[in-house]
Amino acid sequence: MFLDNSQFMNDPLQTVLILLAIAVLAVVIFRLLRLPPMLGYLLAGVIIGPHALGWIPATDETHHLAGFGVVFLMFSIGLEFSLPKLVAMKNIVFGFGTSQVIICILLVMAIAWGLGLNWHVGLVLGGALAMSSTAIVIKMLAERAELNSTHGRQIIGVLLFQDLAVIPLLIIVPALASEIDSDSSDFGLMFAIAILKVISVLALILFFGQKLMRPWFHLVARQKSSELFVLNVLLITLGLAWLTELAGLSLALGAFLAGMLISETEYRYQVEDDIKPFRDILLGLFFIPIGMLLDMQVVVENFIWVFAILAALIGLKIVLIAGLSRLFGTDASVAVRTGMNLAQSGEFGFVLLAQAGAIGLVDNSILQPVLAAMVLSMFIAPFIIEYSGSVVQRFYSSEWMYRAMQLTSIA
């Protein structure tokens, strides 16, 4: 007998309890099966979501709770980076990252045109499919101690640019729907103001943040209170995430900047240890709402289209990203690993498609199969990443040397 959905609508505690119970059960089962736990979270989301048992409604509150996991994940990644290291990665972020997003959008637009779709639809779909999953990729890189490897640095650089690319895309999508683009001066002015606001906020955070962070942490640490120290970390993380969201950027990017600023202080390792429980728990809860998006009825009814989109998405992204990685001077084995790690769709792709669907820019008959393929790509992603090393090792002899260098670096 199914549970009454209205109970969960009105009782947030029951919703949280179900999320926690499902999360614990999923982790236990998938660890026993020696499979990535995030697959358990995704599958649990499908089962308890609105398209199956309907135990958890797909509300904004559920997605906001899940989003905090990505915030703390990106904060911990920011702790691994200093500002000089980020500047040193500018070619990867703005060269590799820009090329990947633009070429991916153009490819999807060409395919959409070939299928007789409007170029507006192609642009929106291209922007959504160009994104990769920060949460899945970064978590698996961290678990495999590959964040500071050559392919790990490339992956992080591309993901950072994708976060930045979401800003102009979120501006362009409603402009296309309302045909503001027909008046280029109005659209150009709106776009310029948005970009100027973003640059101003980033400059403000990086300039004043660097000057204030160390003395402020010294003051807090002198109080010799562990709870005050943790509260201070939470305040800085969520505060900067809120500030960047206010400016039109993502919560995750603000959290990354907060981590990067703290990494310049001598408290980075203490902060990383304190924040880890919050990060891992909330990140697990992030994957359940992603699983809730998958409607198996859509997959069954549009089987051929869904799997054609899925195969094209994964295949084209692996080839494109691996090719670009080679152009930027990396070894073939590293390039293929980078492509396989970034082959899936990402969280921000759902944001773009949700916006496009809400304003009627993309028809629901197109939107649903694309959404289903995107969610399935995230289901498959942990397997592709897990076995990417074995696949590359079979085809490239240089992978043995690369793995040896990587192990030496870790040691």
Side-chain angles (χ1 to χ4, degrees):
M1 181 175 181
F2 295 134
L3 301 177
D4 183 6
N5 293 348
S6 62
Q7 293 177 352
F8 304 113
M9 293 279 192
N10 301 320
D11 193 341
L13 179 59
Q14 284 185 321
T15 301
V16 172
L17 284 173
I18 284 188
L19 283 173
L20 290 174
I22 288 291
V24 170
L25 190 61
V27 172
V28 169
I29 292 173
F30 275 72
R31 283 204 179 277
L32 287 173
L33 295 173
R34 299 185 183 279
L35 292 171
M38 66 182 69
L39 285 174
Y41 293 124
L42 289 167
L43 184 60
V46 174
I47 294 169
I48 66 173
H51 304 299
L53 296 182
W55 289 357
I56 303 290
T59 62
D60 289 339
E61 289 77 11
T62 308
H63 289 282
H64 286 154
L65 173 66
F68 285 120
V70 182
V71 166
F72 286 110
L73 174 71
M74 289 304 292
F75 174 77
S76 63
I77 299 307
L79 288 172
E80 301 286 334
F81 280 79
S82 61
L83 195 56
K85 185 186 284 190
L86 191 66
V87 171
M89 288 176 59
K90 63 181 183 294
N91 289 336
I92 297 175
V93 176
F94 297 104
F96 191 173
T98 305
S99 304
Q100 181 265 324
V101 171
I102 291 175
I103 295 174
C104 195
I105 290 173
L106 291 175
L107 278 173
V108 175
M109 287 179 70
I111 293 170
W113 178 77
L115 294 172
L117 298 175
N118 191 302
W119 71 268
H120 295 176
V121 176
L123 178 60
V124 173
L125 295 179
L129 296 174
M131 302 298 140
S132 301
S133 175
T134 301
I136 291 176
V137 176
I138 297 295
K139 181 167 177 59
M140 293 205 68
L141 284 177
E143 288 176 352
R144 294 159 63 88
E146 294 177 353
L147 284 172
N148 288 309
S149 63
T150 306
H151 69 278
R153 288 193 296 272
Q154 281 198 335
I155 288 164
I156 291 170
V158 171
L159 290 171
L160 284 175
F161 182 81
Q162 289 178 0
D163 279 3
L164 292 170
V166 171
I167 305 156
L169 287 170
L170 287 174
I171 297 168
I172 290 169
V173 168
L176 292 174
S178 59
E179 297 182 355
I180 295 177
D181 53 321
S182 61
D183 187 341
S184 58
S185 61
D186 285 353
F187 178 69
L189 179 63
M190 179 181 69
F191 191 81
I193 290 172
I195 295 299
L196 184 63
K197 182 171 67 171
V198 167
I199 292 172
S200 301
V201 169
L202 290 177
L204 189 72
I205 290 172
L206 293 174
F207 180 75
F208 287 104
Q210 269 196 310
K211 293 183 178 298
L212 295 174
M213 198 63 69
R214 181 173 277 107
W216 175 250
F217 263 88
H218 282 322
L219 177 64
V220 170
R222 278 200 297 268
Q223 310 312 310
K224 301 186 186 303
S225 169
S226 57
E227 62 268 29
L228 178 61
F229 191 83
V230 174
L231 282 172
N232 180 56
V233 172
L234 292 174
L235 173 65
I236 291 171
T237 307
L238 297 178
L240 286 182
W242 172 79
L243 191 62
T244 52
E245 187 188 41
L246 208 61
L249 289 95
S250 66
L251 287 166
L253 188 61
F256 175 84
L257 292 174
M260 196 172 66
L261 291 172
I262 292 175
S263 74
E264 301 284 344
T265 72
E266 54 268 51
Y267 301 102
R268 56 176 290 188
Y269 297 109
Q270 178 64 43
V271 169
E272 190 172 19
D273 194 52
D274 288 339
I275 213 72
K276 190 176 180 181
F278 301 101
R279 182 195 71 188
D280 291 346
I281 292 169
L282 290 170
L283 186 60
L285 296 180
F286 162 80
F287 292 109
I288 293 178
I290 293 295
M292 288 166 61
L293 293 172
L294 185 61
D295 187 344
M296 290 307 297
Q297 187 176 348
V298 171
V299 176
V300 172
E301 290 175 356
N302 302 274
F303 180 84
I304 295 174
W305 275 113
V306 169
F307 282 91
I309 295 168
L310 178 64
L313 168 65
I314 293 174
L316 285 175
K317 286 185 85 170
I318 290 176
V319 172
L320 171 62
I321 293 168
L324 287 171
S325 182
R326 285 289 282 158
L327 284 176
F328 278 82
T330 57
D331 186 78
S333 64
V334 175
V336 173
R337 283 169 74 103
T338 304
M340 292 181 73
N341 274 263
L342 291 170
Q344 75 292 131
S345 188
E347 304 82 35
F348 291 120
F350 295 115
V351 175
L352 286 169
L353 285 188
Q355 185 187 48
I359 58 182
L361 186 59
V362 180
D363 188 78
N364 199 52
S365 62
I366 299 169
L367 193 68
Q368 287 303 321
V370 173
L371 275 173
M374 288 169 64
V375 177
L376 286 173
S377 77
M378 294 177 78
F379 268 95
I380 297 169
F383 290 109
I384 296 176
I385 297 170
E386 184 71 29
Y387 296 107
S388 60
S390 303
V391 171
V392 172
Q393 196 171 300
R394 176 169 294 183
F395 293 101
Y396 296 96
S397 57
S398 60
E399 175 66 7
W400 289 99
M401 180 65 72
Y402 178 67
R403 292 289 290 274
M405 292 171 62
Q406 193 178 325
L407 289 170
T408 305
S409 174
I410 293 168

